[in-house]
Amino acid sequence: MTIEEFSPPGGCTDFDNIPSQRKGWSKYISATIDRAIKEVEKDVGSGKSQFYNETKVDSDSPEDEPIIWDGFPHVLTRRYGRAEALRLADQLVPETRVMGSPLSRVQDEYCEWRVTPVPTAPDKILKVTFTCEGPEYWQALAGGPSIYDEEGQSPSDFGATGDSDLLVQLYRELLGDQTIQKKELFYENNPTVYNPWNVWNTSKGIVHLQQINNTLGAEINIGAQATVRRIKGGAEITEVTRLICCGGFGVVERSSDPRMGIDINTRARQGFALTLRNPIGIYFASFNNDGITKPGPNNTQVPAGNYWTRVRGAEEMPVRVVYEIPVGELGPDGKQLTVSDLQIAGASIQFGGQLAERVKMKFVARRCREKSFNNSPKDCISKCCSRNGVLNAVELTENCADVFPAGISGVSPMGDVTARVQPPFRLVSTRR
Amino acid sequence: MNITTDSDTALLEEPFVNLGNIQGNIIHGFNKSHQVLLGLKVVSRDGAREWIQCIHNQITPASEVHIFRKLRQVMIRRLGQEPKHLSVSWVNIAFSAQGLRKLIERPDEVDEFEDEAFKLGMPARSSSIGDPSNDENVTGSPRNWKVGGEATNIPDILLILASDRADILEEEVKWWKNNINSNMSVDLFYEEPGADLPDKLQGHEHFGFKDGISQPGIRGRGREPPHEFITQRLIDSNDPLVRSFAAPGQPLIRLGQFVFGYDTQDSFTDGIGRPRSAPKWATDGSFLVYRRLKQEVEQFWDFMRTKAAVISSRHGVDIRAEQLAAMLVGRWPSGAPILRTPFQDNAILAGPVRNNHFQFNNPSRVIPINENLNMPPDVENLAAADFDGHFCPRASHIRKVNPRDLSTEQPGGANDTLTRRILRRGIPFGNVLAKDNTSSISTSEDRGLLFLCYQTSIDDQFEFLSRNWMNQEEAPEGNAGSDLIVGQNGSLGENRVRTCSVTFKVNGNIVKETLEIQGDWVVPTGGGYFFSPSLSALSEQFKKTN
């Protein structure tokens, strides 16, 4: 059966009272998927894409499989070591790849968070707010031109014209601040264009994903590209890093992109038809509360409660979570406990990232019709080079040594094998 | 061993190793049938430092272990069997963080270790690896541990004594006790004997399964001529696999993962990883994790028998208790991998090389072995790919702690898995529980495993394996389920329930069966995090103060 429409992520209902909004959103996602399929067909041939659009192609007896990865930015840990990575991950930095270099979070595993300090004790953490809501959803709420899409391809072009009053109302509700003004959410010099890096989503609050690679479009693109089987040096690629180096569909040293890629590619090799389960989105999969303790009597530590509280999204599809000690939960000194009073594995919580390290993210792949495809594997379109110890997928013609040249055996005894980092989303212009 | 020109470059990847300076249990392992752990407290700092200088020459270096192993191999070749009278006794020493702070020249240098786990100690970390909390006040709660559960009973010093023979070890223990008692600067408060199980169970643990089969290979050569490889290379030098594997299923890992002062393993490539911060004197040293693990043997087999009967009845199949247990371990009791022989144990596949020649993501191929070793080729019952875990379940213990060529939730996949490996040096303790009721040995008597392992990051290696893989259902693979054998569920409100699924083929159809258990078959009853310094550090950092 086909599905009737692509629903908004997480079962969110904000679109329900906006005329044509749900339908427009569905068309937008459908068009995004169709574009991704067309890209795949450039490699595998017309009509041969294993990635399909579930509103147009049947899923018979589908199986759904969550694909899981760590929420903390692995790129940071790898480059700087854990201690420094924790410090950096909580910060905002100018995003120089965007015109105007707005301040941006650097968390790039589709899991972003913001620390709110205790108002009367700014060195202590009151709460940590997590989001994995794609920016396109909020773009659709805002309406108007989108910086995430080519001209004519924005949600509003498909009928999801949004409701900017609802947009600002949601901002006010989520952030608990009635002073937020609508105009602050749009570009000052182009008030019809929604600004994902507005202050209420960066320096003063957090509402949705805004790191430039954390988009629904990227997720769909990776899902589609990963269905292309790859070959190098005469052997089909079955290894996670070599695949993303060869297919160039994401950032090599992340947790998310390679994991998405290899799990989908493995099913593609089994001949499945593949798509992403509706509602398409990224979700929080789990939070590991083991080893989180709070002060107990006589200088002991006792198990803390699980303060990971879903705020938005359905139970199995949370998209916004707040980690905060309930008011009235006191320490042995009689004072309100704060997040900073807790320990994780014996170490005090100083950074939001320590909680992010306990978070797992997911999206859900859907597969059906095993062995219905037998596409021949395609040659690589990128390679991995190492610069200053960092692996990046680059063009094949780039003048640097391929880290995984054909013919050198790797960890897999099947011998070996052997990426262009192109942000999957196209920042057309900021139109500022 | 012949090395071809192509593989000469591989020699560049094999650093010289200071075997004479590294303690003997780390790289090769004592591998003795009889061991005793002694836990000591420092009574007097100066006296203890002086005592350490006195016993310094009693500590066995890796060079001696290496020589002994070669001697044993030479004698086996001559005799055609294990030599009857080749015996030694060996000793190694390790210090907890609090012990180091009491004893070394500059105690604040302990903070130069980047590993938080070592510095905080096991009791502070135990709930993060799933151990029951002190609040729960059960056997596995640190407050009830036999050793190491509270600051007051964490050994400052841990001695490992080992010998091939029980009588020799007894003498060794006596000598050490006399030495300690007469010294009075250190106090012996903990003694724990361990021994190989007898007869047919030799080399097995108390559930009955062969233990210690899959150990990582280590890149490196002895500094002294003839510069032999630390890990014997079995693969034919003409096979490209020789660059990255010592033997089928045994990848070569950079020594820095296990011993400080050497290159670590990169998590994405075969290359060099980020160095792990440690004091300068940590070179040639290693972190030692000790866990006293009680095994509930009767409960384990009761579950297997009961559940196997239920599954058999429900699906009209014949699943035996041993088969179900093998699915959850990943090996049959003989050590034969279930992936290569899914339905019954197989003595041939339990043999060396065969018992570790398999992987999960890709089918195995014939791997030629160095012909000088006179080993028959391993060509039959090669393992097929098993991505979905139909033959070796995703929740099976060996798959959970060593996913081999599978991608995991960590980027880097199989390369990242290399960085999680540990060197296991455990030994059973306690009497075997007889399967029939004729034995007078009580089921409540303590028996289990003195689990010991070495690494240079407790957080990223030992604790990672417990916290991230054994205890979590969604890792290392999605829908993996918990490791029912050794995993723990310390999550609030979940009553330590662990769940996984196994699949069977019934009349050609894949049938899934969910297994759930409350309570643990393996219970922590003691332990600690320690540092095993080099012999030179032992000499320099614990000098008598004038």
Side-chain angles (χ1 to χ4, degrees), chain A residues 82 86 288-295 299-304 339-350 354-355 357-358, chain B residues 101 111 114-130 142 459 463 467 529:
Chain A
R82 181 173 177 261
L86 283 172
N288 181 2
N289 200 53
D290 291 357
I292 300 186
T293 57
K294 63 179 182 179
N299 285 324
T300 57
Q301 286 285 314
V302 297
V339 173
S340 299
D341 296 317
L342 305 181
Q343 290 185 359
I344 300 179
S348 295
I349 298 181
Q350 297 176 281
Q354 287 169 267
L355 294 169
E357 286 181 318
R358 294 319 200 75
Chain B
R101 289 194 178 99
D111 292 326
E114 73 175 50
D115 191 71
E116 289 296 319
F118 171 69
K119 291 183 289 192
L120 290 168
M122 191 179 277
R125 307 284 287 189
S126 76
S127 62
S128 72
I129 54 175
D459 186 15
E463 283 192 351
R467 177 187 64 228
Y529 292 151

XYZ file of all heavy atoms in Angstrom, chain A residues 82 86 288-295 299-304 339-350 354-355 357-358, chain B residues 101 111 114-130 142 459 463 467 529:
431
model
N 38.193 14.596 24.538
C 36.892 14.725 25.182
C 36.759 16.005 25.978
O 35.737 16.698 25.904
C 36.630 13.505 26.073
C 35.287 13.559 26.751
C 34.952 12.293 27.500
N 33.689 12.466 28.180
C 33.562 12.777 29.457
N 34.642 12.919 30.207
N 32.369 12.956 30.006
N 33.937 18.845 25.050
C 32.795 19.207 25.900
C 32.696 20.724 26.046
O 31.606 21.290 26.022
C 32.954 18.554 27.281
C 32.616 17.067 27.361
C 33.010 16.497 28.720
C 31.136 16.823 27.119
N 20.513 7.501 28.357
C 21.053 6.545 29.320
C 21.244 7.222 30.672
O 22.146 8.035 30.842
C 22.393 5.994 28.802
C 23.002 4.970 29.736
O 22.428 4.626 30.767
N 24.173 4.475 29.382
N 20.377 6.883 31.599
C 20.419 7.507 32.921
C 21.325 6.770 33.909
O 21.525 7.231 35.032
C 18.999 7.563 33.481
C 18.854 8.586 34.596
O 19.200 9.740 34.428
N 18.370 8.150 35.750
N 21.892 5.639 33.479
C 22.715 4.854 34.404
C 23.885 5.675 34.915
O 24.570 6.339 34.138
C 23.274 3.609 33.699
C 22.193 2.598 33.387
O 21.029 2.832 33.763
O 22.509 1.578 32.758
N 24.141 5.610 36.188
C 25.325 6.264 36.729
C 25.156 7.744 36.988
O 26.117 8.429 37.349
N 23.949 8.258 36.834
C 23.713 9.674 37.172
C 23.230 9.716 38.613
O 22.245 9.062 38.973
C 22.710 10.334 36.216
C 23.239 10.277 34.787
C 22.460 11.786 36.630
C 22.401 11.014 33.754
N 23.950 10.466 39.428
C 23.667 10.463 40.860
C 23.471 11.885 41.370
O 23.870 12.858 40.714
C 24.818 9.804 41.638
O 26.045 10.507 41.348
C 24.988 8.350 41.264
N 22.901 11.980 42.536
C 22.713 13.284 43.183
C 23.242 13.165 44.608
O 23.438 12.050 45.114
C 21.245 13.686 43.183
C 20.334 12.743 43.973
C 18.900 13.223 43.934
C 18.028 12.273 44.769
N 16.612 12.691 44.787
N 23.467 14.305 45.258
C 24.002 14.232 46.626
C 23.013 13.551 47.561
O 21.812 13.816 47.529
C 24.183 15.706 47.022
C 24.101 16.480 45.775
C 23.294 15.687 44.802
N 27.457 12.930 52.748
C 28.410 13.025 51.637
C 28.419 11.828 50.709
O 29.443 11.519 50.101
C 29.853 13.219 52.171
C 30.053 14.632 52.658
O 29.518 15.583 52.088
N 30.791 14.769 53.746
N 27.321 11.142 50.612
C 27.238 10.037 49.656
C 26.610 10.536 48.364
O 26.118 11.663 48.272
C 26.376 8.896 50.214
O 25.073 9.424 50.522
C 26.989 8.289 51.471
N 26.624 9.677 47.396
C 25.904 9.924 46.146
C 24.833 8.848 46.029
O 25.101 7.664 46.273
C 26.855 9.834 44.948
C 27.798 11.017 44.808
C 27.089 12.254 44.270
O 26.329 12.180 43.318
N 27.343 13.398 44.898
N 23.643 9.256 45.668
C 22.546 8.305 45.508
C 21.989 8.443 44.093
O 22.195 9.474 43.447
C 21.443 8.554 46.559
C 21.994 8.338 47.961
C 20.861 9.947 46.427
N 21.308 7.406 43.599
C 20.811 7.495 42.232
C 19.887 8.697 42.056
O 19.015 8.959 42.888
C 20.049 6.181 42.044
C 20.636 5.247 43.036
C 21.043 6.087 44.198
N 20.101 9.427 40.978
C 19.222 10.547 40.651
C 18.027 10.017 39.873
O 18.079 8.932 39.288
C 19.976 11.568 39.814
N 21.075 20.993 37.935
C 21.764 19.995 37.115
C 23.239 19.925 37.511
O 23.843 18.854 37.494
C 21.602 20.333 35.612
C 22.451 19.405 34.757
C 20.135 20.232 35.203
N 23.794 21.054 37.894
C 25.213 21.077 38.274
C 25.500 20.289 39.545
O 26.650 19.960 39.819
C 25.697 22.514 38.459
O 25.559 23.229 37.268
N 24.476 20.003 40.316
C 24.686 19.241 41.542
C 24.781 17.747 41.267
O 25.146 16.965 42.148
C 23.542 19.489 42.530
C 23.492 20.940 42.992
O 24.567 21.502 43.278
O 22.389 21.521 43.042
N 24.417 17.344 40.056
C 24.430 15.930 39.721
C 25.832 15.500 39.283
O 26.653 16.332 38.881
C 23.449 15.638 38.579
C 22.004 16.071 38.782
C 21.172 15.687 37.563
C 21.414 15.450 40.032
N 26.050 14.197 39.356
C 27.282 13.628 38.823
C 26.921 12.561 37.789
O 25.903 11.875 37.921
C 28.120 12.977 39.932
C 28.748 13.960 40.893
C 29.663 13.278 41.901
O 29.825 12.054 41.906
N 30.278 14.064 42.768
N 27.774 12.453 36.802
C 27.670 11.336 35.856
C 28.938 10.516 36.025
O 30.035 11.016 35.796
C 27.551 11.822 34.396
C 26.316 12.702 34.213
C 27.491 10.628 33.456
C 26.142 13.236 32.805
N 28.775 9.270 36.428
C 29.918 8.376 36.642
C 30.975 9.040 37.524
O 32.164 8.974 37.253
C 30.528 7.944 35.304
N 30.526 9.715 38.545
C 31.430 10.294 39.517
C 31.954 11.670 39.182
O 32.647 12.278 40.002
N 31.641 12.198 37.998
C 32.129 13.526 37.608
C 30.965 14.508 37.582
O 29.909 14.214 37.020
C 32.786 13.459 36.230
N 31.184 15.692 38.181
C 30.108 16.689 38.217
C 29.724 17.121 36.822
O 30.556 17.177 35.928
C 30.580 17.918 38.993
O 30.804 17.582 40.320
N 28.458 17.482 36.643
C 27.995 17.959 35.341
C 28.352 19.432 35.219
O 27.876 20.272 35.978
C 26.483 17.754 35.168
C 26.150 16.265 35.225
C 26.027 18.347 33.840
C 24.666 15.948 35.028
N 29.204 19.712 34.257
C 29.615 21.093 34.005
C 29.160 21.569 32.638
O 29.139 22.769 32.375
C 31.143 21.194 34.048
C 31.751 20.844 35.397
C 33.263 20.877 35.316
O 33.900 19.956 34.822
N 33.840 21.961 35.759
N 27.790 16.755 28.446
C 27.892 15.516 29.225
C 26.563 14.753 29.183
O 26.537 13.531 29.236
C 28.272 15.832 30.670
C 29.711 16.262 30.842
C 29.972 16.819 32.225
O 29.894 18.027 32.440
N 30.292 15.962 33.169
N 25.469 15.476 29.091
C 24.173 14.820 28.929
C 24.003 14.335 27.494
O 23.472 13.254 27.240
C 23.038 15.782 29.297
C 23.001 16.190 30.771
C 22.029 17.331 30.991
C 22.617 15.005 31.651
N 26.193 13.214 25.654
C 26.932 11.955 25.517
C 26.077 10.755 25.877
O 26.374 9.629 25.519
C 28.170 11.972 26.431
C 29.295 12.857 25.945
C 30.497 12.816 26.877
O 30.293 12.842 28.120
O 31.636 12.757 26.385
N 24.983 10.984 26.611
C 24.114 9.877 27.031
C 22.930 9.708 26.080
O 22.067 8.861 26.304
C 23.567 10.156 28.437
C 24.630 10.177 29.556
C 25.630 9.102 29.395
N 26.399 8.688 30.498
C 25.955 7.921 31.517
N 24.696 7.603 31.625
N 26.782 7.523 32.451
N 48.771 8.135 44.970
C 48.829 9.458 45.620
C 49.544 9.345 46.964
O 50.189 10.279 47.419
C 47.434 10.038 45.811
C 46.783 10.475 44.517
C 45.559 11.344 44.741
N 45.009 11.763 43.458
C 43.970 11.186 42.850
N 43.348 10.179 43.428
N 43.553 11.625 41.670
N 46.968 13.301 38.534
C 45.954 14.033 37.772
C 46.335 14.202 36.311
O 45.508 14.623 35.502
C 45.722 15.404 38.410
C 45.063 15.266 39.771
O 44.250 14.330 39.939
O 45.363 16.058 40.683
N 44.626 11.304 31.834
C 43.371 11.866 31.340
C 42.181 10.972 31.707
O 41.048 11.426 31.713
C 43.406 12.078 29.822
C 43.333 10.832 28.983
C 43.246 11.120 27.478
O 44.055 11.900 26.956
O 42.364 10.548 26.831
N 42.446 9.739 32.056
C 41.365 8.793 32.309
C 40.683 9.082 33.650
O 41.244 8.827 34.715
C 41.911 7.358 32.286
C 40.795 6.323 32.282
O 40.114 6.200 31.250
O 40.592 5.663 33.314
N 39.467 9.593 33.575
C 38.723 9.950 34.787
C 38.381 8.710 35.606
O 38.337 8.748 36.830
C 37.427 10.675 34.416
C 37.614 12.079 33.873
C 38.212 13.019 34.904
O 37.821 12.953 36.082
O 39.097 13.803 34.536
N 38.106 7.623 34.916
C 37.683 6.408 35.620
C 38.738 5.967 36.621
O 38.445 5.670 37.783
C 37.415 5.289 34.613
N 39.991 5.944 36.183
C 41.067 5.518 37.082
C 41.150 6.461 38.280
O 41.251 6.028 39.424
C 42.401 5.475 36.338
C 43.577 5.246 37.239
C 43.755 4.021 37.866
C 44.500 6.255 37.481
C 44.832 3.798 38.724
C 45.578 6.043 38.336
C 45.741 4.818 38.957
N 41.100 7.736 38.021
C 41.277 8.716 39.100
C 40.112 8.678 40.083
O 40.295 8.863 41.286
C 41.443 10.114 38.512
C 42.771 10.273 37.771
C 42.985 11.679 37.240
C 42.072 11.992 36.088
N 42.484 13.240 35.386
N 38.907 8.462 39.597
C 37.747 8.446 40.493
C 37.610 7.122 41.219
O 37.045 7.063 42.308
C 36.477 8.750 39.702
C 36.370 10.190 39.201
C 35.230 10.319 38.195
C 36.131 11.152 40.360
N 38.088 6.065 40.609
C 37.997 4.746 41.238
C 36.693 4.036 40.932
O 35.691 4.659 40.568
N 36.699 2.724 41.098
C 35.551 1.918 40.675
C 34.268 2.222 41.435
O 33.204 2.278 40.807
C 35.897 0.422 40.757
C 34.852 -0.448 40.074
S 35.240 -2.204 40.132
C 36.354 -2.359 38.751
N 34.275 2.419 42.758
C 32.972 2.642 43.417
C 32.219 3.844 42.847
O 31.009 3.797 42.672
C 33.359 2.881 44.885
C 34.673 2.237 45.051
C 35.371 2.352 43.731
N 32.940 4.924 42.519
C 32.281 6.114 41.986
C 31.714 5.857 40.593
O 30.788 6.521 40.159
C 33.262 7.289 41.945
N 32.268 4.905 39.892
C 31.899 4.648 38.499
C 30.929 3.480 38.354
O 30.383 3.269 37.292
C 33.145 4.319 37.672
C 34.259 5.326 37.774
C 33.995 6.578 36.978
N 34.127 6.330 35.556
C 34.124 7.294 34.646
N 33.989 8.541 35.015
N 34.242 7.010 33.363
N 30.759 2.726 39.434
C 30.129 1.417 39.247
C 28.693 1.509 38.748
O 28.270 0.686 37.941
C 30.213 0.592 40.529
O 29.281 1.029 41.480
N 27.936 2.498 39.196
C 26.542 2.541 38.732
C 26.483 2.869 37.245
O 25.536 2.486 36.554
C 25.718 3.542 39.534
O 26.210 4.848 39.380
N 27.495 3.547 36.725
C 27.473 3.881 35.297
C 27.722 2.649 34.436
O 27.440 2.668 33.239
C 28.502 4.963 34.971
O 29.810 4.448 35.031
N 28.266 1.588 35.008
C 28.412 0.355 34.240
C 27.365 -0.673 34.655
O 27.487 -1.860 34.383
C 29.839 -0.243 34.336
C 30.272 -0.453 35.788
C 30.833 0.645 33.611
C 31.624 -1.163 35.919
N 26.329 -0.179 35.335
C 25.160 -1.010 35.577
C 25.129 -1.723 36.900
O 24.178 -2.448 37.201
N 28.191 -1.967 45.758
C 29.568 -1.815 46.209
C 29.740 -1.932 47.723
O 30.742 -2.475 48.190
C 29.941 -0.409 45.712
C 29.118 -0.235 44.480
C 27.825 -0.931 44.778
N 37.942 4.251 30.619
C 36.690 4.857 30.157
C 36.348 4.395 28.748
O 35.221 3.995 28.470
C 36.838 6.391 30.191
C 35.545 7.120 29.869
O 34.473 6.491 29.889
O 35.604 8.328 29.597
N 35.130 0.234 30.423
C 33.816 0.787 30.778
C 32.945 0.940 29.537
O 31.734 0.712 29.593
C 33.981 2.138 31.476
C 34.430 2.014 32.922
C 34.312 3.328 33.682
O 34.047 4.378 33.057
O 34.492 3.302 34.916
N 29.255 -0.271 29.507
C 28.252 0.788 29.516
C 27.557 0.910 28.179
O 26.333 1.048 28.107
C 28.971 2.095 29.888
C 28.149 3.347 29.894
C 29.064 4.557 30.111
N 29.992 4.721 29.007
C 31.307 4.926 29.138
N 31.856 5.009 30.335
N 32.078 5.038 28.081
N 40.180 -0.273 40.109
C 40.956 0.216 38.978
C 42.383 0.472 39.463
O 42.592 1.156 40.473
C 40.370 1.517 38.443
C 39.005 1.364 37.794
C 38.100 2.415 37.792
C 38.619 0.174 37.170
C 36.855 2.298 37.185
C 37.373 0.043 36.569
C 36.499 1.113 36.584
O 35.267 0.989 35.987
